[in-house]
Amino acid sequence: MRKKIMLVFGTRPEAIKMCPLILECQKRQAEFEVVVCVSGQHAHMLMPVLDYFQIKPDYDLAVMKDEQTLSDITVAVLNKLGPVLAQEKPDILLVHGDTTTTFAAALAAFYQQIPVGHVEAGLRTYDMQSPYPEEFNRHAAGILASYHFAPTEWSARNLISEKTDPSRVFVTGNTVLDAIKSTLRQDYRHEELDWARDSSLILVTAHRRENQGQPMARMFAAIRRIVEDHPEVKVIYPIHKNPKVRQVADQYLQGHQRIHLIEPLDVFDFHNFMSRCQIILTDSGGLQEEASAVKKPVLLMRGTTERPEGVEAGIIEMVGTDEEQIYQSVSRLLKDPQLYHKMISGKNPFGDGCASRRIADILAEVL
Ligand code: UD1
Ligand code: UDP
């Protein structure tokens, strides 16, 4: 009998990592009926991803509002998803990663005794404040889930050490590697990349809640100093839609001719930008995995990472949010080709681009 699989997600990174799985499940029509529900936690940054993968959601809960609080998102998702779950009665609800949509959707399913499958399960820093509130969200999703799709052996071990039933934990690789297989193009061109040609291009992103305010001011002050002291450097920073991020970025980074602050890029463009830059300077989660795929060093402006496999492989260096440390680390990497080569020479620990197929195979077996 065909099993009904419902997927709920709400932000850009969840969409990028869930779309390959949706496409895989949709291909297997004899096995699965697929229902896609977006919470709309992100509005403007979510739809371009769905458009790129040509996925039309069956439901859009449209929860986003300006200056939304964590409570706003949690309450809205719980209230609006409940009736959809009651109507659809899926055999499983799949959620992804660690956003507030993830947590609230898993809780809504739990309240209706619908089994939850957690994609990108088992990532941990074991520090509830960093990343905040994502570390809580992924623990909570793990508690609520019946099936755990861990991207790596390390994330699977975390779950098992927390007394998760090992027969419910599956190592699948990360679906972001499936996504990036479809986006990279040899002949890609973009006017921003034409502008940056012959420079040492640093691609910047930053958005973490715990970095907003003073940490972000220090991060951006460091970037400004790096550009001023290294004439070969250009910076492209596609800024997150959050006005709290934009305000600090404007204050520190506007008005320099070698810094371009641009609107968020579509995922297709962003992956191609990643593969053509020299250094990635970020506080993002997902960029750490994608950078391993395109072999670009990541200087991670955070004090913790839930992806230590990348640090072990050498491609991620954690540089924190201290202005001087960021400045020194970037300067060192710019000046030291041997260090650069060493950072990008390790193996990609995050998967092989076949995670969606593995997850679909497991779903076909366990449901
Ligand atoms: C959320 C996730 C975070 C994830 C990030 C990916 C939580 C708690 N946080 O953080 O884990 O890393 O998404 O980017 O779930 N906004 C828009 N348009 C959009 C998206 C956001 O205008 O398409 C603005 C709104 O003013 C909104 C603000 O950005 O209030 C913050 O968005 P929100 O989803 O609350 O937090 P993120 O920082 O994006
Ligand atoms: N991304 C994008 N356009 C951009 C910046 C990022 O499509 O302008 C993608 C990127 O490829 C990655 C994801 O967004 O897959 C990361 O999102 P973000 O850093 O906002 O969230 P996190 O991964 O930290 O949860």
Side-chain angles (χ1 to χ4, degrees):
M1 209 178 65
R2 256 172 32 123
K3 296 294 176 185
K4 189 187 275 193
I5 296 183
M6 183 163 161
L7 303 93
V8 178
F9 51 94
T11 66
R12 172 176 68 188
E14 290 165 83
I16 292 168
K17 292 168 163 180
M18 285 296 239
C19 283
L21 179 57
I22 294 170
L23 295 176
E24 176 67 27
C25 292
Q26 283 176 342
K27 259 191 342 208
R28 299 161 69 146
Q29 280 183 16
E31 293 165 286
F32 305 126
E33 177 187 350
V34 181
V35 179
V36 178
C37 173
V38 295
S39 72
Q41 176 177 337
H42 284 177
H44 321 91
M45 289 172 19
L46 179 73
M47 291 310 164
V49 181
L50 297 174
D51 289 345
Y52 173 73
F53 287 100
Q54 297 186 325
I55 288 168
K56 282 205 187 337
D58 301 288
Y59 297 92
D60 181 355
L61 308 180
V63 306
M64 199 200 100
K65 56 182 192 184
D66 284 342
E67 305 204 6
Q68 58 194 2
T69 65
L70 298 173
S71 307
D72 290 334
I73 305 167
T74 307
V75 170
V77 172
L78 271 174
N79 281 337
K80 292 185 169 185
L81 184 57
V84 177
L85 288 172
Q87 184 181 318
E88 290 289 344
K89 297 188 177 44
D91 293 296
I92 190 165
L93 180 81
L94 297 181
V95 295
H96 183 278
D98 55 20
T99 71
T100 296
T101 291
T102 309
F103 159 60
L107 186 59
F110 177 73
Y111 283 162
Q112 297 191 31
Q113 299 202 309
I114 293 167
V116 172
H118 188 201
V119 181
E120 197 180 86
L123 276 65
R124 296 287 186 266
T125 63
Y126 293 106
D127 177 349
M128 282 293 165
Q129 300 304 317
S130 176
Y132 175 87
E134 289 81 3
E135 184 67 11
F136 164 77
N137 288 338
R138 54 193 171 222
H139 276 268
I143 291 169
L144 296 164
S146 303
Y147 303 99
H148 309 261
F149 302 105
T152 63
E153 294 287 346
W154 180 80
S155 46
R157 277 201 301 277
N158 289 337
L159 290 162
I160 291 164
S161 73
E162 293 164 15
K163 306 259 181 288
T164 311
D165 176 354
S167 71
R168 302 286 185 112
V169 177
F170 307 92
V171 178
T172 60
N174 197 304
T175 54
V176 80
L177 279 307
D178 307 17
I180 212 165
K181 271 200 312 202
S182 78
T183 50
L184 296 177
R185 295 276 187 285
Q186 287 284 353
D187 58 352
Y188 180 80
R189 293 276 312 262
H190 193 287
E191 59 185 17
E192 287 292 338
L193 292 177
D194 289 343
W195 167 75
R197 196 184 303 133
D198 301 329
S199 72
S200 297
L201 174 61
I202 303 180
L203 186 60
V204 172
T205 77
H207 72 90
R208 298 240 79 82
R209 259 184 168 72
E210 69 273 15
N211 283 344
Q212 286 163 19
Q214 281 309 309
M216 217 166 254
R218 296 196 297 268
M219 286 152 59
F220 294 160
I223 293 169
R224 182 92 189 194
R225 268 178 69 196
I226 291 158
V227 176
E228 279 165 0
D229 291 356
H230 295 273
E232 78 281 17
V233 166
K234 287 185 177 170
V235 166
I236 296 179
Y237 176 8
I239 315 188
H240 192 287
K241 286 279 185 194
N242 192 338
K244 289 185 183 145
V245 175
R246 290 186 166 220
Q247 193 197 342
V248 189
D250 282 349
Q251 191 184 336
Y252 285 87
L253 300 174
Q254 275 294 2
H256 194 291
Q257 58 177 7
R258 280 183 285 113
I259 301 177
H260 275 191
L261 303 180
I262 61 173
E263 285 302 309
L265 290 163
D266 285 356
V267 59
F268 168 70
D269 296 298
F270 192 75
H271 284 172
N272 282 288
F273 272 52
M274 283 187 90
S275 76
R276 284 161 179 81
C277 73
Q278 185 166 354
I279 293 173
I280 295 163
L281 189 55
T282 187
D283 67 3
S284 164
L287 263 68
Q288 298 173 58
E289 293 139 357
E290 292 162 334
S292 283
V294 297
K295 299 230 167 285
K296 300 293 172 176
V298 176
L299 298 183
L300 185 64
M301 297 184 286
R302 294 173 47 183
T304 61
T305 179
E306 57 293 281
R307 292 157 170 98
E309 302 93 331
V311 178
E312 235 164 73
I315 197 142
I316 301 171
E317 183 192 341
M318 271 200 286
V319 299
T321 60
D322 175 68
E323 179 185 332
E324 189 59 25
Q325 195 186 339
I326 297 168
Y327 175 82
Q328 292 299 343
S329 300
V330 176
S331 301
R332 191 168 58 239
L333 190 54
L334 284 166
K335 283 191 242 146
D336 186 344
Q338 273 181 336
L339 172 64
Y340 190 94
H341 181 71
K342 198 163 158 233
M343 280 187 84
I344 61 169
S345 303
K347 259 183 68 181
N348 176 1
F350 296 112
D352 58 2
C354 301
S356 303
R357 187 173 46 71
R358 281 190 200 100
I359 295 170
D361 285 348
I362 294 160
L363 289 173
E365 203 175 301
V366 299
L367 290 181

